[in-house]
Amino acid sequence: MADSDVFTIAREEISSRLWLGSSMYPSPDIMVSAFASAQPGFVTMSLRRQTAGDLANNDYHERVNQWLGASQSRLLPNTAGCQSAKEAIQLAILARELFKTSWIKLEVIGDEYSLQPNVFELVSAARELSAQGFYVLPYCTDDLVVCESLLHAGCPAVMPWGAPIGTGKGIINPYQLRTLRARLPDTTIIVDAGIGRPSQAMQAMEMGADGVLLNTAVAKAANPVTMAGAFAAAVDAGRAAFHAGFMTERDMASPSTPVAGLPFWHTAMREGQHHD
């Protein structure tokens, strides 16, 4: 698990634990303003069904590049929409050529309805891309064995979903996320997909996640700029709370002000009030 003050993946420092996608914003200007509000560690961009020429003439792509050049954020190309390891590998290689980065968010979708990853193809693609020198950040399910397989394939982190992409349901399986944190204590875990509210991002961080990646919850908000800032604050607060340590839950009430040491008449009065 990454250090509480300096966040590193593959020995490279990442500026923030909140990562944002670059799709579905009302305009390029609003998108860039949201990035400025959140200061994300990574900005994801999909290459699916785009050519180099399309990207060169795309306002969103141009504005993302401008933002990245003036910030500490990094670009994270995404193999969104791929349905096989072969397709994802080809797209990742194209992304490296176009964007001059070896970072890749690896997606291989197995079910069009839930957008659940095809974990078999995902592990196969991760192994090949890692061998080719990529820093592979895989979008995966929250299954422990799948995450372990991705780590063994060379991934420097895993990105299990909180819920299916775009649902906004938050952490639908808290037990599984806690299990991942407990069983993989030294692994960087980024919760990716399904986060709809800042409180859900804070919950993920309070449970020990190292970061959160989201898109729709900010891009589709009534005010994306304000929402981006709210998510950034929630991620920071959740991380601080996780390291501060939580009180132990109790089945019975426990007074925050003990009665021991109080004057006799004060204690008697309290007991009399309880019997009224």
Side-chain angles (χ1 to χ4, degrees):
M1 185 166 53
D3 182 89
S4 60
D5 296 317
V6 179
F7 183 29
T8 62
I9 301 178
R11 297 181 295 280
E12 295 200 27
E13 186 172 336
I14 312 302
S15 62
S16 172
R17 297 176 185 276
L18 173 63
W19 305 354
L20 293 179
S22 59
S23 65
M24 299 186 292
Y25 289 86
S27 72
D29 287 340
I30 291 176
M31 175 190 68
V32 169
S33 294
F35 293 164
S37 178
Q39 298 292 322
F42 275 106
V43 171
T44 66
M45 176 173 288
S46 173
L47 276 174
R48 183 64 175 166
R49 300 186 182 93
Q50 290 180 310
T51 65
D54 294 329
L55 290 171
N57 297 311
N58 185 293
D59 288 341
Y60 281 86
H61 175 250
E62 182 179 353
R63 295 302 301 276
V64 168
N65 272 344
Q66 291 173 351
W67 159 256
L68 292 171
S71 74
Q72 293 183 305
S73 300
R74 296 170 180 258
L75 179 66
L76 184 62
N78 183 3
T79 65
C82 291
Q83 297 181 331
S84 70
K86 180 180 179 181
E87 187 179 9
I89 291 167
Q90 291 174 341
L91 201 58
I93 293 171
L94 175 61
R96 181 159 62 180
E97 293 175 356
L98 288 174
F99 298 125
K100 310 304 179 186
T101 178
S102 293
W103 292 92
I104 193 75
K105 176 185 173 182
L106 181 63
E107 287 189 26
V108 183
I109 299 302
D111 179 69
E112 287 294 331
Y113 178 77
S114 66
L115 299 181
Q116 179 167 321
N118 182 328
V119 296
F120 305 102
E121 296 290 298
L122 186 69
V123 172
S124 177
R127 184 178 297 110
E128 176 60 28
L129 290 172
S130 295
Q132 293 192 31
F134 282 88
Y135 299 131
V136 180
L137 303 179
Y139 162 63
C140 59
T141 61
D142 54 10
D143 182 273
L144 173 62
V145 176
V146 169
C147 289
E148 289 179 329
S149 297
L150 289 165
L151 294 171
H152 292 155
C155 298
V158 291
M159 302 204 300
W161 64 359
I165 295 172
T167 62
K169 291 182 176 296
I171 309 299
I172 60 175
N173 195 340
Y175 170 80
Q176 199 66 14
L177 183 55
R178 292 192 183 96
T179 298
L180 290 179
R181 182 71 290 161
R183 295 290 301 277
L184 304 173
D186 299 319
T187 296
T188 297
I189 298 173
I190 308 296
V191 173
D192 178 12
I195 300 297
R197 300 183 180 187
S199 58
Q200 296 168 352
M202 182 181 291
Q203 179 192 18
M205 299 302 291
E206 287 179 347
M207 294 170 66
D210 294 287
V212 171
L213 195 166
L214 55 97
N215 188 168
T216 308
V218 169
K220 290 295 187 179
N223 188 327
V225 178
T226 300
M227 186 61 78
F231 269 105
V235 167
D236 287 344
R239 181 68 178 179
F242 175 73
H243 280 286
F246 300 105
M247 64 174 287
T248 302
E249 292 186 11
R250 297 168 54 93
D251 291 329
M252 298 181 63
S254 175
S256 57
T257 304
V259 297
L262 291 176
F264 171 78
W265 62 267
H266 188 279
T267 304
M269 182 175 66
R270 285 169 57 93
E271 293 176 348
Q273 290 173 343
H274 291 164
H275 287 108
D276 288 343

